[in-house]
């Protein structure tokens, strides 16, 4: 019965998404952009917008559901959309191909893009494997709002929290140890006006 209930829930999700998005209706070039596993996709609003929404995708190039579907639904908002992608096990610690060379460089790259497109309000979101990088970026660069789901916040080697599933000792050894921190103190010091 639990499998039937879960399948019914997925069916309801599919029905809801299909009201806004049909994968088969997307032109081939757009599909290829969304399903490339590295890099970024920037969708500039046709009208002027002061808002930029940055979505960090998971290592599986999604946000629990397709980024193409998410773009179709979020495209109705009054904001530019930036999808960042890193399907490696490093979870953005080595940056975003073609956009920023390292985790600390992602925030300034977002700020430059926002300035270039006339946006002075930056919002970010992260989920699961991309959540640490998304929250780190939101806390260390310009951000006017953050929404995160199911994300790690402490990557220290001696953290009392379990590390993310794929963040093995080999992966940890290849990452700048200065970036493997507990984000809780940064969050406590963050501007309380930022939602």
């Amino acid at each position: 019965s639990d499998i039937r209930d879960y399948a019914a829930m997925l069916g309801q999700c599919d029905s809801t998404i299909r009201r806004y998005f049909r994968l088969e209706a997307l032109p081939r070039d757009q599909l290829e952009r969304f399903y490339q596993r590295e890099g970024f996709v920037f969708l500039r609003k046709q009208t002027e917008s002061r808002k930029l929404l940055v979505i960090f995708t998971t290592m599986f190039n999604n946000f629990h559901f397709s980024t193409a579907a998410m773009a179709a639904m979020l495209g109705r908002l009054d904001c530019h959309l930036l999808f960042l992608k890193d399907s490696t096990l490093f979870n953005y610690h080595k940056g975003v191909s073609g956009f920023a060379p390292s985790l600390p460089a992602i925030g300034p790259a977002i700020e430059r893009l926002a300035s270039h497109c006339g946006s002075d309000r930056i919002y970010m979101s992260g989920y699961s494997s991309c959540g640490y990088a998304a929250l780190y970026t939101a806390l260390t660069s310009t951000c006017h709002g953050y929404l995160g789901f199911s994300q790690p916040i402490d990557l220290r080697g001696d953290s009392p929290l379990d590390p993310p599933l794929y963040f093995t000792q080999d992966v940890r050894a290849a990452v700048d140890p200065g970036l493997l921190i507990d984000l809780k103190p940064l969050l406590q010091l963050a501007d309380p006006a930022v939602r």
Side-chain angles (χ1 to χ4, degrees), residues 24-181:
E24 62 273 13
L26 267 185
R28 185 76 185 161
D29 63 326
Q30 286 184 17
L31 268 178
E32 288 175 4
R33 285 176 59 207
F34 278 108
Y35 287 95
Q36 289 174 341
R37 297 177 55 82
E38 303 295 329
F40 66 99
V41 176
F42 176 60
L43 302 175
R44 188 177 190 134
K45 197 75 176 167
Q46 295 301 320
T47 57
E48 290 299 315
S49 177
R50 296 180 54 205
K51 299 174 187 169
L52 171 65
L53 174 57
V54 182
I55 297 137
F56 288 71
T57 64
T58 71
M59 63 192 294
F60 304 109
N61 189 28
N62 63 28
F63 204 90
H64 191 65
F65 58 93
S66 160
T67 53
M70 181 174 247
M73 289 185 286
L74 295 178
R76 300 159 51 125
L77 299 175
D78 177 30
C79 63
H80 306 292
L81 299 174
L82 173 63
F83 290 87
L84 299 179
K85 301 163 170 253
D86 176 23
S87 64
T88 71
L89 296 176
F90 298 114
N91 297 185
Y92 295 92
H93 278 85
K94 303 278 185 175
V96 176
S97 179
F99 188 76
S102 66
L103 178 58
I106 294 173
I110 291 169
E111 291 168 348
R112 285 190 298 276
L113 177 65
S115 176
H116 179 73
C117 69
S119 296
D120 59 1
R121 307 290 295 173
I122 300 171
Y123 302 89
M124 298 183 199
S125 189
Y127 161 71
S128 191
S129 63
C130 66
Y132 179 89
L135 183 58
Y136 173 91
T137 303
L139 292 169
T140 59
S141 61
T142 304
C143 182
H144 297 91
Y146 179 78
L147 182 61
F149 304 93
S150 302
Q151 62 186 63
I153 60 162
D154 185 358
L155 293 182
R156 296 173 300 158
D158 62 349
S159 172
L161 304 175
D162 290 333
L165 180 62
Y166 299 107
F167 206 73
T168 64
Q169 289 301 326
D170 290 342
V171 173
R172 182 181 296 282
V175 172
D176 177 356
L179 298 176
L180 302 177
I181 62 174

